[in-house]
Each structure stands twice: as C-alpha cells, then as structure tokens.
Amino acid sequence: MQPMNTGNHVVDYEIFGEEMQYVSVELDPNEGVIAEAGSFMMMDPDIRMETIFGDGSKKDTGVLGKIFSAGKRVLTGEGLFMTAFYNGGQGKKKVSFASPYPGKIVPIDLKEKGGRFICQKDAFLCAAKGVSVGIEFSRRLGRGLFGGEGFIMQKLEGDGMAFVHAGGTLARRTLQAGEVLRVDTGCIVGFSQTVDYDIEFVGGIKNTLFGGEGLFFATLRGPGTVYIQSLPFSRLAGRVLAAAPKGGGKDKGEGSILGGLGDLLDGDNRF
C-alpha cells in the first residue's frame, strides 16, 4: 500500500489488474474518499455511503458555496451529486473503485503538482475527501471556439491524492520549458498546471477535407508533465456504434461472408 501524506484525509491505496484495473483505498476511522457515481466496486463492513451536493470539499461552506460547487460540475457534464465513503468503524477498512472501460488508473499526488491538476472532464475517478473537483475555464478564444472535447477541462485542487482514468495505453511525457507536444484533443488525460494549453488548426486543404483526424489539435507547451491516452472513450464509443448492426430487425448475417444477402436467401426479409 502506498501512503498519501497530505493535509486532506490521509489514506492508503493499491491498484490491481492490467487492462481493467481497480483501485482499493484503505481508510482509517473517520477518513473518507469521494467518487463519481457509478465507479463504486466493493467495500468492507462499517464503510458508510453518503450522497453529497457538489464535491464536498472543505472550502465550499454554506448553501451558496455548495450550489456553486454543484454548478461547476454541471458545466463539465457531470451530475450535481457525488458519493462520499467514510470509515465508521474502529479499524482500517477498504473501499474499491473500478475503471469504466479498459485502460489504466493514474494516481496523482496533488501536493507534488503544486496543489492543482488539469484533466479531461470524464477522467476523474475518485479522490481523498477534501479535494475540490471544479472547472478549468479557458480565457483563450481558440480553446472556446474549437476545443471540442478538450475545451472544458476539470481542475482537481488540494494537497491529497486523486485518481484519474486513462483509456487504452497510457503515455507519460515530461516536457521541458518551451518544449511543445501536439496531441489529439480527446487523447489528453491531464497535465500539470504549469503546462500551457491551446488549440491549433491542422491546416492544409487535403488535411482538412480528407485527413479524418479532425480540424484541430491541442498544443501543450512545457514545463510540466502530460498524461496521454491511446483510447479516448469518445473514440471507443464511435467505433462500437459504427460496428453496430443497422436497422431494427435481427441481424442474422453478422459474422457471415454473405452479410445482408444471407437474410434475403433465408427468407427472413419479406417484401
């Protein structure tokens, strides 16, 4: 188990698996962890669940603070509520959270990142209680008009540990000052707050009309650390939809060299 020595709730964690990972978080009495709805996997007895409005961070006090926290989550496409898990027993207890699809769980020590980490809006999995999950507003016109998936980013703030999910294979690049990396906007998992981020036009008539890779990509400029995924969920979902049978009837020709012709020959289609 790896310790989280922070000012937030201090917990330990261990990551299991290869393609479909899950993270097991160990809680001392009264310690807690927050998570997105739908990521829970299993927990020990004496772990209690609590639905919280917003992200439950310490800095959001009062009704207005909670409403503002929840509003930030709505802007990133998330729900108004999160789930908190607390150890209400006497000894150490464990609660586990699973990856939503094949990929890697990335532990982020916010204390090492200067108290802030920027990530894709759907990358956050769970974090120590007290970590703030908000929205990273862009002040640049290019990001706002053309950012697509990469425009609205989440920011994780605090001095505890957070866990984000990367689809497919994870690439971790450490950029030196002034070093530039161009990335498909959907392939960004997250980056340090010191990384400068913008949207750039691909350019070229052939690239624009026939490239098939989109009109824009993200430009990341160091210094800082960048995490990149090989399989963004949007790409995975697009390929699943493209391969799905078309039409409302049963697709008996799936996997057959005859395909739709097989349905005609077996008399299943009536005119």
Short mmCIF file of all heavy atoms in Angstrom, two decimals, residues 6-53:
data_model
loop_
_atom_site.label_atom_id
_atom_site.label_comp_id
_atom_site.label_asym_id
_atom_site.label_seq_id
_atom_site.Cartn_x
_atom_site.Cartn_y
_atom_site.Cartn_z
N THR A 6 -0.86 13.89 3.22
CA THR A 6 -1.39 15.16 2.78
C THR A 6 -2.17 15.81 3.90
O THR A 6 -2.41 15.23 4.95
CB THR A 6 -2.34 14.97 1.58
OG1 THR A 6 -3.51 14.29 2.05
CG2 THR A 6 -1.70 14.15 0.48
N GLY A 7 -2.63 17.07 3.65
CA GLY A 7 -3.48 17.77 4.58
C GLY A 7 -4.93 17.39 4.44
O GLY A 7 -5.75 17.74 5.28
N ASN A 8 -5.29 16.71 3.35
CA ASN A 8 -6.64 16.18 3.22
C ASN A 8 -6.74 14.89 4.02
O ASN A 8 -5.85 14.57 4.79
CB ASN A 8 -6.94 15.92 1.73
CG ASN A 8 -6.94 17.19 0.92
OD1 ASN A 8 -5.90 17.61 0.42
ND2 ASN A 8 -8.09 17.81 0.79
N HIS A 9 -7.84 14.16 3.86
CA HIS A 9 -7.93 12.87 4.53
C HIS A 9 -6.78 11.98 4.03
O HIS A 9 -6.56 11.84 2.84
CB HIS A 9 -9.28 12.22 4.23
CG HIS A 9 -10.41 12.85 5.00
ND1 HIS A 9 -11.56 12.18 5.33
CD2 HIS A 9 -10.56 14.11 5.51
CE1 HIS A 9 -12.36 12.97 6.00
NE2 HIS A 9 -11.79 14.15 6.11
N VAL A 10 -6.04 11.41 4.98
CA VAL A 10 -4.84 10.64 4.65
C VAL A 10 -5.21 9.17 4.55
O VAL A 10 -5.58 8.54 5.53
CB VAL A 10 -3.75 10.85 5.71
CG1 VAL A 10 -2.49 10.06 5.34
CG2 VAL A 10 -3.43 12.32 5.87
N VAL A 11 -5.11 8.61 3.35
CA VAL A 11 -5.47 7.21 3.13
C VAL A 11 -4.37 6.52 2.34
O VAL A 11 -3.48 7.16 1.79
CB VAL A 11 -6.81 7.10 2.35
CG1 VAL A 11 -7.95 7.70 3.15
CG2 VAL A 11 -6.71 7.76 0.98
N ASP A 12 -4.44 5.20 2.31
CA ASP A 12 -3.51 4.39 1.52
C ASP A 12 -4.27 3.82 0.34
O ASP A 12 -5.50 3.76 0.34
CB ASP A 12 -2.94 3.25 2.36
CG ASP A 12 -2.15 3.75 3.55
OD1 ASP A 12 -1.59 4.86 3.46
OD2 ASP A 12 -2.12 3.04 4.58
N TYR A 13 -3.53 3.36 -0.67
CA TYR A 13 -4.20 2.80 -1.85
C TYR A 13 -3.34 1.72 -2.49
O TYR A 13 -2.12 1.63 -2.27
CB TYR A 13 -4.48 3.89 -2.89
CG TYR A 13 -3.25 4.39 -3.61
CD1 TYR A 13 -2.84 3.81 -4.81
CD2 TYR A 13 -2.48 5.43 -3.10
CE1 TYR A 13 -1.72 4.24 -5.48
CE2 TYR A 13 -1.35 5.88 -3.76
CZ TYR A 13 -0.98 5.29 -4.95
OH TYR A 13 0.16 5.73 -5.60
N GLU A 14 -3.99 0.89 -3.29
CA GLU A 14 -3.31 -0.13 -4.08
C GLU A 14 -4.10 -0.35 -5.35
O GLU A 14 -5.34 -0.45 -5.31
CB GLU A 14 -3.18 -1.43 -3.29
CG GLU A 14 -2.27 -2.45 -3.96
CD GLU A 14 -1.97 -3.64 -3.05
OE1 GLU A 14 -2.51 -3.68 -1.93
OE2 GLU A 14 -1.23 -4.54 -3.49
N ILE A 15 -3.42 -0.41 -6.49
CA ILE A 15 -4.07 -0.59 -7.79
C ILE A 15 -3.87 -2.02 -8.26
O ILE A 15 -2.76 -2.55 -8.23
CB ILE A 15 -3.51 0.40 -8.83
CG1 ILE A 15 -3.84 1.84 -8.40
CG2 ILE A 15 -4.08 0.13 -10.22
CD1 ILE A 15 -3.22 2.90 -9.28
N PHE A 16 -4.97 -2.66 -8.68
CA PHE A 16 -4.94 -4.06 -9.11
C PHE A 16 -5.33 -4.16 -10.58
O PHE A 16 -6.10 -3.34 -11.10
CB PHE A 16 -5.93 -4.88 -8.28
CG PHE A 16 -5.61 -4.96 -6.82
CD1 PHE A 16 -6.10 -4.01 -5.94
CD2 PHE A 16 -4.81 -5.97 -6.32
CE1 PHE A 16 -5.80 -4.07 -4.58
CE2 PHE A 16 -4.50 -6.05 -4.97
CZ PHE A 16 -5.01 -5.09 -4.10
N GLY A 17 -4.83 -5.22 -11.24
CA GLY A 17 -5.24 -5.53 -12.59
C GLY A 17 -4.34 -4.93 -13.65
O GLY A 17 -3.40 -4.18 -13.37
N GLU A 18 -4.64 -5.28 -14.90
CA GLU A 18 -3.87 -4.80 -16.04
C GLU A 18 -4.76 -4.00 -16.98
O GLU A 18 -4.69 -2.79 -17.02
CB GLU A 18 -3.25 -5.99 -16.78
CG GLU A 18 -2.20 -6.75 -15.97
CD GLU A 18 -1.00 -5.89 -15.59
OE1 GLU A 18 -0.69 -4.96 -16.36
OE2 GLU A 18 -0.38 -6.16 -14.55
N GLU A 19 -5.61 -4.69 -17.76
CA GLU A 19 -6.46 -3.98 -18.73
C GLU A 19 -7.67 -3.32 -18.08
O GLU A 19 -8.06 -2.22 -18.46
CB GLU A 19 -6.94 -4.95 -19.84
CG GLU A 19 -5.85 -5.37 -20.81
CD GLU A 19 -4.92 -6.42 -20.23
OE1 GLU A 19 -5.33 -7.11 -19.26
OE2 GLU A 19 -3.79 -6.55 -20.73
N MET A 20 -8.30 -4.02 -17.13
CA MET A 20 -9.46 -3.47 -16.42
C MET A 20 -9.08 -3.32 -14.96
O MET A 20 -9.28 -4.22 -14.15
CB MET A 20 -10.68 -4.38 -16.60
CG MET A 20 -11.29 -4.34 -17.98
SD MET A 20 -11.97 -2.73 -18.43
CE MET A 20 -13.30 -2.55 -17.26
N GLN A 21 -8.52 -2.21 -14.59
CA GLN A 21 -7.98 -2.01 -13.26
C GLN A 21 -9.04 -1.53 -12.26
O GLN A 21 -10.09 -1.02 -12.65
CB GLN A 21 -6.84 -1.00 -13.29
CG GLN A 21 -5.62 -1.47 -14.07
CD GLN A 21 -4.45 -0.51 -13.94
OE1 GLN A 21 -4.61 0.70 -13.84
NE2 GLN A 21 -3.25 -1.05 -13.93
N TYR A 22 -8.74 -1.72 -10.99
CA TYR A 22 -9.50 -1.07 -9.94
C TYR A 22 -8.53 -0.63 -8.84
O TYR A 22 -7.43 -1.19 -8.71
CB TYR A 22 -10.59 -1.99 -9.38
CG TYR A 22 -10.11 -3.14 -8.51
CD1 TYR A 22 -10.02 -2.99 -7.12
CD2 TYR A 22 -9.78 -4.37 -9.06
CE1 TYR A 22 -9.61 -4.04 -6.31
CE2 TYR A 22 -9.38 -5.43 -8.26
CZ TYR A 22 -9.29 -5.26 -6.88
OH TYR A 22 -8.88 -6.30 -6.09
N VAL A 23 -8.92 0.39 -8.09
CA VAL A 23 -8.08 0.90 -7.01
C VAL A 23 -8.77 0.63 -5.69
O VAL A 23 -9.97 0.87 -5.52
CB VAL A 23 -7.80 2.42 -7.18
CG1 VAL A 23 -9.08 3.23 -7.26
CG2 VAL A 23 -6.90 2.93 -6.05
N SER A 24 -8.03 0.05 -4.74
CA SER A 24 -8.51 -0.22 -3.40
C SER A 24 -7.94 0.83 -2.46
O SER A 24 -6.73 1.00 -2.36
CB SER A 24 -8.08 -1.63 -2.95
OG SER A 24 -8.47 -1.87 -1.61
N VAL A 25 -8.83 1.57 -1.80
CA VAL A 25 -8.43 2.65 -0.90
C VAL A 25 -8.66 2.20 0.53
O VAL A 25 -9.76 1.74 0.88
CB VAL A 25 -9.22 3.94 -1.19
CG1 VAL A 25 -8.80 5.05 -0.24
CG2 VAL A 25 -9.01 4.38 -2.63
N GLU A 26 -7.63 2.31 1.37
CA GLU A 26 -7.72 1.91 2.77
C GLU A 26 -7.96 3.13 3.64
O GLU A 26 -7.20 4.11 3.58
CB GLU A 26 -6.44 1.20 3.20
CG GLU A 26 -6.49 0.60 4.60
CD GLU A 26 -5.22 -0.16 4.93
OE1 GLU A 26 -4.20 0.49 5.23
OE2 GLU A 26 -5.25 -1.41 4.89
N LEU A 27 -9.01 3.07 4.45
CA LEU A 27 -9.41 4.21 5.28
C LEU A 27 -9.22 3.90 6.75
O LEU A 27 -9.64 2.84 7.23
CB LEU A 27 -10.87 4.57 5.02
CG LEU A 27 -11.28 4.92 3.58
CD1 LEU A 27 -12.78 5.13 3.51
CD2 LEU A 27 -10.54 6.15 3.10
N ASP A 28 -8.62 4.84 7.49
CA ASP A 28 -8.61 4.77 8.94
C ASP A 28 -9.97 5.25 9.45
O ASP A 28 -10.77 5.81 8.69
CB ASP A 28 -7.49 5.67 9.50
CG ASP A 28 -6.12 5.07 9.28
OD1 ASP A 28 -6.01 3.83 9.30
OD2 ASP A 28 -5.16 5.84 9.07
N PRO A 29 -10.29 5.05 10.72
CA PRO A 29 -11.57 5.52 11.24
C PRO A 29 -11.80 7.01 10.96
O PRO A 29 -10.89 7.83 11.14
CB PRO A 29 -11.44 5.25 12.75
CG PRO A 29 -10.52 4.07 12.82
CD PRO A 29 -9.53 4.26 11.71
N ASN A 30 -13.01 7.32 10.47
CA ASN A 30 -13.46 8.68 10.15
C ASN A 30 -12.82 9.27 8.90
O ASN A 30 -13.10 10.42 8.55
CB ASN A 30 -13.24 9.64 11.33
CG ASN A 30 -13.99 9.20 12.57
OD1 ASN A 30 -15.15 8.79 12.48
ND2 ASN A 30 -13.33 9.26 13.72
N GLU A 31 -11.94 8.54 8.23
CA GLU A 31 -11.39 9.01 6.97
C GLU A 31 -12.39 8.75 5.84
O GLU A 31 -13.23 7.85 5.93
CB GLU A 31 -10.07 8.32 6.64
CG GLU A 31 -8.92 8.81 7.50
CD GLU A 31 -7.61 8.13 7.15
OE1 GLU A 31 -7.65 7.10 6.44
OE2 GLU A 31 -6.57 8.62 7.59
N GLY A 32 -12.28 9.55 4.76
CA GLY A 32 -13.23 9.43 3.67
C GLY A 32 -12.61 9.62 2.31
O GLY A 32 -11.49 10.14 2.17
N VAL A 33 -13.34 9.20 1.29
CA VAL A 33 -12.93 9.36 -0.10
C VAL A 33 -14.18 9.71 -0.90
O VAL A 33 -15.29 9.26 -0.58
CB VAL A 33 -12.26 8.07 -0.62
CG1 VAL A 33 -13.20 6.89 -0.55
CG2 VAL A 33 -11.73 8.25 -2.03
N ILE A 34 -14.03 10.57 -1.91
CA ILE A 34 -15.15 10.94 -2.77
C ILE A 34 -14.97 10.27 -4.13
O ILE A 34 -13.84 10.00 -4.55
CB ILE A 34 -15.26 12.47 -2.95
CG1 ILE A 34 -13.96 13.04 -3.54
CG2 ILE A 34 -15.61 13.14 -1.63
CD1 ILE A 34 -14.06 14.52 -3.90
N ALA A 35 -16.09 10.00 -4.81
CA ALA A 35 -16.02 9.31 -6.10
C ALA A 35 -17.19 9.72 -6.96
O ALA A 35 -18.24 10.15 -6.47
CB ALA A 35 -16.02 7.80 -5.89
N GLU A 36 -16.99 9.58 -8.28
CA GLU A 36 -18.07 9.80 -9.22
C GLU A 36 -19.10 8.67 -9.11
O GLU A 36 -18.75 7.52 -8.81
CB GLU A 36 -17.55 9.87 -10.66
CG GLU A 36 -16.75 11.12 -10.97
CD GLU A 36 -17.62 12.37 -11.05
OE1 GLU A 36 -18.85 12.28 -10.83
OE2 GLU A 36 -17.07 13.44 -11.34
N ALA A 37 -20.35 8.99 -9.35
CA ALA A 37 -21.39 7.98 -9.33
C ALA A 37 -21.11 6.92 -10.38
O ALA A 37 -20.72 7.24 -11.50
CB ALA A 37 -22.75 8.61 -9.58
N GLY A 38 -21.26 5.65 -10.01
CA GLY A 38 -21.05 4.56 -10.95
C GLY A 38 -19.68 3.94 -10.92
O GLY A 38 -19.43 2.96 -11.61
N SER A 39 -18.75 4.50 -10.13
CA SER A 39 -17.40 3.94 -10.08
C SER A 39 -17.20 2.96 -8.93
O SER A 39 -16.21 2.24 -8.90
CB SER A 39 -16.36 5.07 -9.97
OG SER A 39 -16.55 5.81 -8.78
N PHE A 40 -18.14 2.90 -7.98
CA PHE A 40 -18.01 2.02 -6.83
C PHE A 40 -17.99 0.56 -7.25
O PHE A 40 -18.74 0.13 -8.13
CB PHE A 40 -19.17 2.27 -5.86
CG PHE A 40 -19.31 1.21 -4.79
CD1 PHE A 40 -18.38 1.10 -3.77
CD2 PHE A 40 -20.36 0.31 -4.83
CE1 PHE A 40 -18.51 0.13 -2.79
CE2 PHE A 40 -20.50 -0.67 -3.86
CZ PHE A 40 -19.57 -0.76 -2.83
N MET A 41 -17.12 -0.23 -6.58
CA MET A 41 -16.97 -1.65 -6.89
C MET A 41 -17.32 -2.53 -5.68
O MET A 41 -18.18 -3.39 -5.77
CB MET A 41 -15.54 -1.94 -7.35
CG MET A 41 -15.26 -3.38 -7.68
SD MET A 41 -13.55 -3.58 -8.25
CE MET A 41 -13.42 -5.36 -8.33
N MET A 42 -16.65 -2.33 -4.53
CA MET A 42 -16.92 -3.12 -3.34
C MET A 42 -16.37 -2.39 -2.12
O MET A 42 -15.54 -1.49 -2.24
CB MET A 42 -16.30 -4.51 -3.45
CG MET A 42 -14.80 -4.52 -3.62
SD MET A 42 -14.15 -6.22 -3.83
CE MET A 42 -12.42 -5.88 -4.17
N MET A 43 -16.87 -2.80 -0.91
CA MET A 43 -16.39 -2.17 0.31
C MET A 43 -16.55 -3.11 1.49
O MET A 43 -17.39 -4.03 1.47
CB MET A 43 -17.13 -0.86 0.57
CG MET A 43 -18.62 -0.99 0.79
SD MET A 43 -19.40 0.63 0.98
CE MET A 43 -21.13 0.14 1.21
N ASP A 44 -15.76 -2.87 2.53
CA ASP A 44 -15.84 -3.64 3.76
C ASP A 44 -17.03 -3.18 4.60
O ASP A 44 -17.55 -2.07 4.41
CB ASP A 44 -14.55 -3.45 4.58
CG ASP A 44 -13.35 -4.14 3.96
OD1 ASP A 44 -13.55 -5.05 3.13
OD2 ASP A 44 -12.21 -3.77 4.30
N PRO A 45 -17.44 -4.03 5.58
CA PRO A 45 -18.45 -3.58 6.53
C PRO A 45 -17.94 -2.33 7.30
O PRO A 45 -16.74 -2.11 7.42
CB PRO A 45 -18.61 -4.78 7.48
CG PRO A 45 -18.14 -5.95 6.69
CD PRO A 45 -17.06 -5.44 5.78
N ASP A 46 -18.87 -1.54 7.80
CA ASP A 46 -18.61 -0.30 8.54
C ASP A 46 -18.24 0.87 7.64
O ASP A 46 -18.05 1.98 8.13
CB ASP A 46 -17.50 -0.48 9.61
CG ASP A 46 -17.92 -1.43 10.71
OD1 ASP A 46 -19.11 -1.46 11.04
OD2 ASP A 46 -17.04 -2.15 11.22
N ILE A 47 -18.11 0.64 6.33
CA ILE A 47 -17.99 1.76 5.40
C ILE A 47 -19.38 2.29 5.12
O ILE A 47 -20.28 1.54 4.74
CB ILE A 47 -17.32 1.34 4.08
CG1 ILE A 47 -15.88 0.88 4.30
CG2 ILE A 47 -17.36 2.49 3.07
CD1 ILE A 47 -14.90 2.00 4.56
N ARG A 48 -19.61 3.57 5.34
CA ARG A 48 -20.92 4.16 5.08
C ARG A 48 -20.84 5.09 3.88
O ARG A 48 -19.85 5.79 3.67
CB ARG A 48 -21.45 4.90 6.30
CG ARG A 48 -20.58 6.05 6.81
CD ARG A 48 -21.16 6.67 8.06
NE ARG A 48 -20.30 7.72 8.59
CZ ARG A 48 -20.39 8.98 8.22
NH1 ARG A 48 -21.29 9.35 7.33
NH2 ARG A 48 -19.58 9.89 8.75
N MET A 49 -21.91 5.07 3.10
CA MET A 49 -22.00 5.91 1.91
C MET A 49 -22.85 7.14 2.20
O MET A 49 -23.83 7.07 2.94
CB MET A 49 -22.62 5.13 0.75
CG MET A 49 -21.83 3.94 0.30
SD MET A 49 -22.73 2.95 -0.94
CE MET A 49 -23.05 4.18 -2.20
N GLU A 50 -22.46 8.26 1.60
CA GLU A 50 -23.23 9.49 1.77
C GLU A 50 -23.24 10.25 0.44
O GLU A 50 -22.18 10.52 -0.14
CB GLU A 50 -22.61 10.36 2.86
CG GLU A 50 -23.33 11.69 3.07
CD GLU A 50 -22.62 12.56 4.09
OE1 GLU A 50 -21.87 12.02 4.93
OE2 GLU A 50 -22.82 13.79 4.05
N THR A 51 -24.43 10.55 -0.06
CA THR A 51 -24.56 11.36 -1.27
C THR A 51 -24.38 12.83 -0.90
O THR A 51 -25.06 13.33 0.00
CB THR A 51 -25.92 11.15 -1.93
OG1 THR A 51 -26.06 9.77 -2.28
CG2 THR A 51 -26.05 11.99 -3.19
N ILE A 52 -23.46 13.51 -1.57
CA ILE A 52 -23.16 14.90 -1.24
C ILE A 52 -23.45 15.79 -2.43
O ILE A 52 -23.33 15.39 -3.58
CB ILE A 52 -21.69 15.07 -0.78
CG1 ILE A 52 -20.73 14.53 -1.85
CG2 ILE A 52 -21.45 14.38 0.54
CD1 ILE A 52 -19.26 14.73 -1.51
N PHE A 53 -23.86 17.00 -2.14
CA PHE A 53 -24.18 18.00 -3.16
C PHE A 53 -22.88 18.73 -3.52
O PHE A 53 -22.23 19.30 -2.68
CB PHE A 53 -25.21 18.99 -2.60
CG PHE A 53 -25.81 19.91 -3.63
CD1 PHE A 53 -26.50 19.40 -4.71
CD2 PHE A 53 -25.67 21.28 -3.51
CE1 PHE A 53 -27.07 20.23 -5.66
CE2 PHE A 53 -26.24 22.13 -4.45
CZ PHE A 53 -26.94 21.60 -5.53
#
